[in-house]
Amino acid sequence: LGTVVLDDFFVVYASIANMDPALLQNPEFEKIMAEAQVKDTIRMYNSLVERCFHACATDFSTRSLTNKEELCMYRCVDKFMRHSSRVQRVFAEQHIQQQNQGQ
């Protein structure tokens, strides 16, 4: 899943980077991009919840998480957050490289 999301992200970024700069300043385009960002954030959050729930919630005999389940959830979310941070860092590095190549 992570690789597909990362690949899709860079394909979209590359497409945007090659667009006419005037289009990027268009308020309608900015609105569409903002909506796409919100949808992507919701999709990623839902994916995180589903993935961590299926991996960690195993005992349905109590109303609350067991200590083992809670630790699993913490680790699962932490791993996701570290992954997201890494993707953002790679994106920023790619962006800087593309800007430097264009100069």
Side-chain angles (χ1 to χ4, degrees), residues 79-96:
K79 185 176 182 178
F80 176 84
M81 296 304 289
R82 284 186 284 118
H83 172 75
S84 294
S85 177
R86 184 173 180 206
V87 168
Q88 289 174 348
R89 193 170 42 254
V90 169
F91 173 73
E93 290 168 3
Q94 291 285 330
H95 181 70
I96 290 169

mmCIF file of all heavy atoms in Angstrom, residues 79-96:
data_model
loop_
_atom_site.group_PDB
_atom_site.id
_atom_site.type_symbol
_atom_site.label_atom_id
_atom_site.label_comp_id
_atom_site.label_asym_id
_atom_site.label_seq_id
_atom_site.Cartn_x
_atom_site.Cartn_y
_atom_site.Cartn_z
ATOM 1 N N LYS A 79 4.365 3.742 13.749
ATOM 2 C CA LYS A 79 4.988 3.309 12.490
ATOM 3 C C LYS A 79 4.406 4.083 11.308
ATOM 4 O O LYS A 79 5.130 4.526 10.418
ATOM 5 C CB LYS A 79 4.785 1.807 12.309
ATOM 6 C CG LYS A 79 5.489 1.225 11.121
ATOM 7 C CD LYS A 79 5.304 -0.289 11.086
ATOM 8 C CE LYS A 79 6.043 -0.920 9.939
ATOM 9 N NZ LYS A 79 5.893 -2.378 9.932
ATOM 10 N N PHE A 80 3.099 4.257 11.312
ATOM 11 C CA PHE A 80 2.441 5.008 10.243
ATOM 12 C C PHE A 80 2.932 6.453 10.209
ATOM 13 O O PHE A 80 3.221 6.994 9.142
ATOM 14 C CB PHE A 80 0.922 4.967 10.429
ATOM 15 C CG PHE A 80 0.187 5.807 9.427
ATOM 16 C CD1 PHE A 80 -0.109 5.303 8.170
ATOM 17 C CD2 PHE A 80 -0.205 7.102 9.737
ATOM 18 C CE1 PHE A 80 -0.782 6.074 7.237
ATOM 19 C CE2 PHE A 80 -0.870 7.878 8.807
ATOM 20 C CZ PHE A 80 -1.164 7.361 7.562
ATOM 21 N N MET A 81 3.036 7.068 11.383
ATOM 22 C CA MET A 81 3.463 8.464 11.449
ATOM 23 C C MET A 81 4.921 8.608 10.984
ATOM 24 O O MET A 81 5.247 9.563 10.276
ATOM 25 C CB MET A 81 3.303 9.005 12.874
ATOM 26 C CG MET A 81 1.852 9.051 13.344
ATOM 27 S SD MET A 81 0.766 9.993 12.264
ATOM 28 C CE MET A 81 1.346 11.632 12.604
ATOM 29 N N ARG A 82 5.767 7.673 11.361
ATOM 30 C CA ARG A 82 7.152 7.722 10.890
ATOM 31 C C ARG A 82 7.212 7.546 9.380
ATOM 32 O O ARG A 82 7.977 8.228 8.694
ATOM 33 C CB ARG A 82 8.005 6.660 11.599
ATOM 34 C CG ARG A 82 8.364 7.047 13.029
ATOM 35 C CD ARG A 82 9.321 6.082 13.701
ATOM 36 N NE ARG A 82 8.591 4.870 14.080
ATOM 37 C CZ ARG A 82 8.854 3.650 13.606
ATOM 38 N NH1 ARG A 82 9.833 3.457 12.763
ATOM 39 N NH2 ARG A 82 8.141 2.614 13.990
ATOM 40 N N HIS A 83 6.385 6.660 8.847
ATOM 41 C CA HIS A 83 6.323 6.446 7.398
ATOM 42 C C HIS A 83 5.856 7.718 6.692
ATOM 43 O O HIS A 83 6.448 8.145 5.688
ATOM 44 C CB HIS A 83 5.391 5.278 7.076
ATOM 45 C CG HIS A 83 5.113 5.117 5.621
ATOM 46 N ND1 HIS A 83 6.020 4.601 4.742
ATOM 47 C CD2 HIS A 83 4.017 5.431 4.894
ATOM 48 C CE1 HIS A 83 5.505 4.590 3.526
ATOM 49 N NE2 HIS A 83 4.292 5.089 3.591
ATOM 50 N N SER A 84 4.813 8.339 7.215
ATOM 51 C CA SER A 84 4.291 9.574 6.619
ATOM 52 C C SER A 84 5.346 10.671 6.629
ATOM 53 O O SER A 84 5.503 11.405 5.650
ATOM 54 C CB SER A 84 3.053 10.053 7.369
ATOM 55 O OG SER A 84 2.001 9.143 7.202
ATOM 56 N N SER A 85 6.067 10.769 7.724
ATOM 57 C CA SER A 85 7.129 11.769 7.829
ATOM 58 C C SER A 85 8.215 11.512 6.795
ATOM 59 O O SER A 85 8.720 12.443 6.155
ATOM 60 C CB SER A 85 7.722 11.730 9.235
ATOM 61 O OG SER A 85 8.791 12.619 9.355
ATOM 62 N N ARG A 86 8.549 10.249 6.609
ATOM 63 C CA ARG A 86 9.570 9.901 5.618
ATOM 64 C C ARG A 86 9.102 10.253 4.202
ATOM 65 O O ARG A 86 9.869 10.769 3.388
ATOM 66 C CB ARG A 86 9.897 8.416 5.716
ATOM 67 C CG ARG A 86 11.003 8.005 4.785
ATOM 68 C CD ARG A 86 11.416 6.584 5.025
ATOM 69 N NE ARG A 86 12.480 6.229 4.093
ATOM 70 C CZ ARG A 86 12.726 5.024 3.694
ATOM 71 N NH1 ARG A 86 12.027 4.020 4.167
ATOM 72 N NH2 ARG A 86 13.685 4.778 2.833
ATOM 73 N N VAL A 87 7.854 9.957 3.899
ATOM 74 C CA VAL A 87 7.309 10.284 2.576
ATOM 75 C C VAL A 87 7.372 11.792 2.346
ATOM 76 O O VAL A 87 7.768 12.245 1.264
ATOM 77 C CB VAL A 87 5.864 9.759 2.429
ATOM 78 C CG1 VAL A 87 5.193 10.338 1.190
ATOM 79 C CG2 VAL A 87 5.852 8.239 2.385
ATOM 80 N N GLN A 88 7.002 12.573 3.354
ATOM 81 C CA GLN A 88 7.058 14.026 3.223
ATOM 82 C C GLN A 88 8.492 14.501 2.989
ATOM 83 O O GLN A 88 8.739 15.391 2.181
ATOM 84 C CB GLN A 88 6.486 14.697 4.466
ATOM 85 C CG GLN A 88 4.997 14.559 4.582
ATOM 86 C CD GLN A 88 4.464 15.094 5.899
ATOM 87 O OE1 GLN A 88 5.214 15.370 6.833
ATOM 88 N NE2 GLN A 88 3.149 15.226 5.987
ATOM 89 N N ARG A 89 9.435 13.888 3.701
ATOM 90 C CA ARG A 89 10.843 14.266 3.546
ATOM 91 C C ARG A 89 11.336 13.950 2.136
ATOM 92 O O ARG A 89 11.995 14.762 1.492
ATOM 93 C CB ARG A 89 11.686 13.546 4.604
ATOM 94 C CG ARG A 89 13.068 14.068 4.766
ATOM 95 C CD ARG A 89 13.810 13.509 5.981
ATOM 96 N NE ARG A 89 13.648 12.090 6.218
ATOM 97 C CZ ARG A 89 12.905 11.553 7.185
ATOM 98 N NH1 ARG A 89 12.233 12.331 8.010
ATOM 99 N NH2 ARG A 89 12.827 10.246 7.340
ATOM 100 N N VAL A 90 10.980 12.764 1.626
ATOM 101 C CA VAL A 90 11.375 12.379 0.269
ATOM 102 C C VAL A 90 10.743 13.325 -0.746
ATOM 103 O O VAL A 90 11.395 13.759 -1.697
ATOM 104 C CB VAL A 90 10.984 10.904 -0.022
ATOM 105 C CG1 VAL A 90 11.131 10.577 -1.502
ATOM 106 C CG2 VAL A 90 11.822 9.961 0.827
ATOM 107 N N PHE A 91 9.490 13.660 -0.544
ATOM 108 C CA PHE A 91 8.808 14.595 -1.439
ATOM 109 C C PHE A 91 9.542 15.935 -1.467
ATOM 110 O O PHE A 91 9.771 16.503 -2.536
ATOM 111 C CB PHE A 91 7.357 14.784 -0.998
ATOM 112 C CG PHE A 91 6.638 15.846 -1.766
ATOM 113 C CD1 PHE A 91 6.257 15.638 -3.076
ATOM 114 C CD2 PHE A 91 6.352 17.068 -1.180
ATOM 115 C CE1 PHE A 91 5.594 16.619 -3.795
ATOM 116 C CE2 PHE A 91 5.694 18.061 -1.884
ATOM 117 C CZ PHE A 91 5.317 17.835 -3.194
ATOM 118 N N ALA A 92 9.895 16.436 -0.298
ATOM 119 C CA ALA A 92 10.595 17.722 -0.225
ATOM 120 C C ALA A 92 11.940 17.640 -0.938
ATOM 121 O O ALA A 92 12.326 18.565 -1.669
ATOM 122 C CB ALA A 92 10.790 18.132 1.233
ATOM 123 N N GLU A 93 12.655 16.540 -0.752
ATOM 124 C CA GLU A 93 13.943 16.359 -1.426
ATOM 125 C C GLU A 93 13.766 16.317 -2.943
ATOM 126 O O GLU A 93 14.538 16.932 -3.683
ATOM 127 C CB GLU A 93 14.629 15.083 -0.932
ATOM 128 C CG GLU A 93 15.119 15.172 0.496
ATOM 129 C CD GLU A 93 15.537 13.830 1.069
ATOM 130 O OE1 GLU A 93 15.498 12.801 0.333
ATOM 131 O OE2 GLU A 93 15.906 13.794 2.255
ATOM 132 N N GLN A 94 12.748 15.601 -3.412
ATOM 133 C CA GLN A 94 12.464 15.523 -4.852
ATOM 134 C C GLN A 94 12.126 16.909 -5.400
ATOM 135 O O GLN A 94 12.567 17.282 -6.493
ATOM 136 C CB GLN A 94 11.307 14.561 -5.119
ATOM 137 C CG GLN A 94 11.617 13.122 -4.865
ATOM 138 C CD GLN A 94 12.492 12.538 -5.958
ATOM 139 O OE1 GLN A 94 12.436 12.964 -7.101
ATOM 140 N NE2 GLN A 94 13.312 11.570 -5.596
ATOM 141 N N HIS A 95 11.345 17.655 -4.649
ATOM 142 C CA HIS A 95 10.951 18.999 -5.066
ATOM 143 C C HIS A 95 12.182 19.896 -5.201
ATOM 144 O O HIS A 95 12.325 20.620 -6.192
ATOM 145 C CB HIS A 95 9.958 19.577 -4.066
ATOM 146 C CG HIS A 95 9.480 20.947 -4.417
ATOM 147 N ND1 HIS A 95 8.649 21.186 -5.482
ATOM 148 C CD2 HIS A 95 9.722 22.148 -3.845
ATOM 149 C CE1 HIS A 95 8.400 22.478 -5.567
ATOM 150 N NE2 HIS A 95 9.033 23.079 -4.567
ATOM 151 N N ILE A 96 13.071 19.843 -4.229
ATOM 152 C CA ILE A 96 14.291 20.652 -4.257
ATOM 153 C C ILE A 96 15.159 20.245 -5.443
ATOM 154 O O ILE A 96 15.696 21.105 -6.160
ATOM 155 C CB ILE A 96 15.062 20.525 -2.934
ATOM 156 C CG1 ILE A 96 14.292 21.240 -1.826
ATOM 157 C CG2 ILE A 96 16.476 21.085 -3.051
ATOM 158 C CD1 ILE A 96 14.808 20.964 -0.439
#
